[in-house]
Structure formats: structure tokens, C-alpha cells
Amino acid sequence: MNVSGMVWAGTLVAMTAMLLVDLFIVGRRPHEPSIRESSIWVGFYVGLALLFGAGLWLTSGASVAGQFYTGWLTEYSLSVDNLFVFVIIMARFGVPRQYQQKVLLIGIVLALVMRGGFIAAGAALISQFSWVFYIFGAFLIYTAVNLARQGEPDEDEFSENVLIRWSRKALPISKDYDGAKLTTYQAGKRLFTPMLIVMIAIGTTDLIFALDSIPAIFGITQEPYLVFTANVFALMGLRQLYFLLGGLLDRLIYLSYGLAVVLGFIGVKLVLEALADNQLPFINGGEHVGWAPHIPIWLSLTVILGTLAAATVASLVKSSRDRRRELADARR
């Protein structure tokens, strides 16, 4: 793709405008969104992503649109996995429901900034060193194995990282929240509220997930514009999706295994592409590996969509069976 500076500028302006609208809505009336409100906004952002992909299809062809859709679906799935950790953080720090929107919005802004930096760094590395695909691929396979072993995290497994523990000790923190404010006055002294600790927890979580998601999207496409827009559309609407899914997150018990399969598949795809373009002297004498196949984008999309659909259906079926069994046991 040959993306002009004007297109990049227009994309950034549009993204900023959407964030400002979100910020205005949250700041004007902090509340817990209803299912109807959340459904409308999630549908709106998903519709925008589909329309954007259709525009790419018309202007740049089916291959580019396919890369965007596959990358967006992958990033959207990984973003849903983020919600499990967000739920744990909110519960662990007792964030009032009406102020969770602001926490999520700031978390999304932090994620966009971090991912933007990682995208720029990843694109620069790939343009200079094709062997970086070996590292990305190995990292995704390693992450997939760990995710399959651990499953979805729960509150008992959540441990505060070094930065959170340091913040608790070094900063003057009040015991109670003061709305959604980061600072408050108590006895004439300015103190930080627990909301600051929550923001730090969300920010460090975003950093960890960015380390997974960026190599994954580069396994789908190496076009920086597609990588960036797929991430933007995956994160937009995540705040409303958090409230829409609600208790449904607890029922997606096999989602982590589905994501593990997806990450493992993309990791293998990256390694195969690295072998096909190999320039490392200690692998095949520095020559390209002829047997390494190229996995087409349609196959990647089919595998990713099929895996996520199977994991979701299996999760809901298993949850329904467990719930019926619990009800039957309670009646005895």
C-alpha cells in the first residue's frame, strides 16, 4: 500500500474525534451503561470497522481488505481477552460501577498510545531485519503454550506488579475514592486516590497485552497502516463491550484455548514466512527455504474465525450444561 500523509492525517483526526466524543459522554454523565446503550455503541463501532474494510476493498482490492478484516478480528479477540483482566482489576480495587467507564476509556487511550509505539518500532525492525519474524513467531508460540496451560485468570491469581506495590508505598494514597478523581483533599493535604493505582494497573496490563497483540497482527500483515487501523477499530467500543458482556465473560471458559490456537497458528505462520525469506547464514546456508509454504490470507481468516467460533460455542454449551446440573443438584 502507498498511503499518503493526508490519509494518515485524516485517520488520526477521525480517531481523535471519536475519542473526544467518548470522553465527552463519560465526563458529562458518569454512569453504568444499559445493555441497550452498550449494544448500540458496540454495533456502531463494529459497523464502522466493516465499512472501513469495504472502503479498502473498493480502493485497494480484496487482498488488502482481507488483511484488514483478519487483523481486526484477531486484535478484537485479543482485546476481549483483556476484559477478563479488567474485570479482575475493577473487582480487586472495588471501583464503583458508575466510574468504571472513565477507567476503561483512559485504559483504551493508553493502549492506543502504547500500541502505536510498538507498531512504529515493529515496522522499522521488519523493514531492516527480516529475521525478526523468527523472534515474533517464537514469542507467539511461547505465549500460546502458556495461555493454554493457564487458562483465563481469576481474582485469586492476580498479583500486584512491582510498579503497583511501589506506588502504594511511595505515594500518599487516600483510603476512599473521590468520584473518578485522581487526587483529593483530606485534612488540608492533597492525596492521590485509589483511582491512580487502578490506572497504573490498567496501564501495565495494556503494556503486557500489547507485547502479544503487535507480533500477532504483524503475522497477518506488514502494512503499518493496516496494523494501526486494525488495532484502533479493535479497541474502539471495548468500553461498551465490557458492560455488554458483563457476566457472559465468566461463561467463555474456552476462549483462552481458542486464543492459544490462534496465537500458535500465527506464530507458526511467521516462522514459515521467515524461513521462506531466510537470510540467516546458519539456516540453510543463508538461502531461502524452498519447502516453507506461504499461508494465504483467506486460510488465515478461515482458521481464526473457525477457531474463535468453535471456542465460543463450546464455552456456551459447557456453561449451560453446568448451570442445569447445578440447578438439578440444588433441587435435590
Side-chain angles (χ1 to χ4, degrees):
M1 291 184 67
N2 184 18
V3 182
S4 66
M6 289 295 294
V7 173
W8 270 107
T11 302
L12 292 173
V13 168
M15 181 201 73
T16 303
M18 286 190 290
L19 284 175
L20 290 176
V21 169
D22 251 358
L23 186 61
F24 173 76
I25 292 174
V26 174
R28 180 174 59 90
R29 188 170 64 91
H31 66 290
E32 180 181 350
S34 65
I35 292 179
R36 181 176 180 275
E37 179 184 343
S38 299
S39 300
I40 291 173
W41 278 104
V42 170
F44 171 73
Y45 283 120
V46 169
L48 276 183
L50 295 176
L51 285 175
F52 183 81
L56 288 174
W57 194 314
L58 292 174
T59 57
S60 302
S63 177
V64 170
Q67 291 176 47
F68 169 77
Y69 282 133
T70 306
W72 168 66
L73 180 62
T74 301
E75 294 299 298
Y76 201 73
S77 304
L78 291 172
S79 296
V80 171
D81 200 43
N82 288 27
L83 295 182
F84 284 96
V85 181
F86 289 168
V87 168
I88 293 172
I89 291 173
M90 299 294 188
R92 186 65 172 270
F93 294 100
V95 182
R97 292 284 289 181
Q98 66 268 30
Y99 302 124
Q100 290 183 8
Q101 282 206 80
K102 183 173 182 179
V103 176
L104 292 168
L105 181 57
I106 293 176
I108 289 170
V109 173
L110 290 174
L112 285 170
V113 172
M114 291 179 185
R115 293 190 188 196
F118 278 118
I119 290 168
L125 281 173
I126 290 171
S127 65
Q128 296 295 323
F129 310 105
S130 60
W131 50 261
V132 78
F133 277 170
Y134 286 114
I135 299 175
F136 282 179
F139 178 73
L140 288 180
I141 294 172
Y142 170 78
T143 302
V145 171
N146 282 342
L147 187 57
R149 283 179 175 177
Q150 298 170 3
E152 296 298 347
D154 55 42
E155 190 171 353
D156 294 334
E157 295 175 349
F158 178 80
S159 59
E160 297 182 358
N161 57 49
V162 175
L163 184 57
I164 295 176
R165 293 196 299 270
W166 176 86
S167 300
R168 283 187 179 278
K169 294 178 180 179
L171 300 176
I173 305 292
S174 65
K175 292 183 178 180
D176 301 317
Y177 290 94
D178 185 5
K181 298 178 181 178
L182 297 180
T183 62
T184 186
Y185 275 102
Q186 287 187 1
K189 294 182 180 180
R190 180 178 287 275
L191 303 175
F192 293 103
T193 69
M195 189 66 74
L196 177 65
I197 305 298
V198 176
M199 296 299 183
I200 293 173
I202 293 289
T204 51
T205 299
D206 285 336
L207 177 61
I208 293 171
F209 277 103
L211 292 173
D212 294 341
S213 64
I214 298 306
I217 186 67
F218 274 115
I220 303 298
T221 178
Q222 287 81 57
E223 291 289 346
Y225 184 75
L226 296 181
V227 173
F228 178 74
T229 51
N231 270 275
V232 169
F233 282 108
L235 290 171
M236 290 299 185
L238 189 62
R239 172 174 63 84
Q240 293 87 354
L241 187 64
Y242 172 89
F243 292 98
L244 177 62
L245 293 180
L248 184 62
L249 285 173
D250 295 333
R251 300 177 62 188
L252 298 178
I253 55 179
Y254 294 133
L255 179 61
S256 60
Y257 300 106
L259 291 175
V261 172
V262 169
L263 291 178
F265 170 78
I266 298 175
V268 171
K269 181 177 183 290
L270 279 171
V271 172
L272 290 175
E273 290 186 6
L275 289 171
D277 297 328
N278 178 63
Q279 296 177 356
L280 295 179
F282 52 86
I283 297 179
N284 198 37
E287 299 295 328
H288 304 328
V289 177
W291 58 262
H294 170 72
I295 299 177
I297 196 67
W298 67 264
L299 181 58
S300 298
L301 181 58
T302 301
V303 170
I304 293 170
L305 190 59
T307 300
L308 295 174
T312 301
V313 171
S315 296
L316 296 179
V317 169
K318 177 68 162 56
S319 298
S320 297
R321 287 178 179 174
D322 291 344
R323 185 167 298 180
R324 287 197 298 267
R325 189 178 297 113
E326 290 174 0
L327 290 174
D329 292 340
R331 292 170 182 170
R332 293 175 183 174

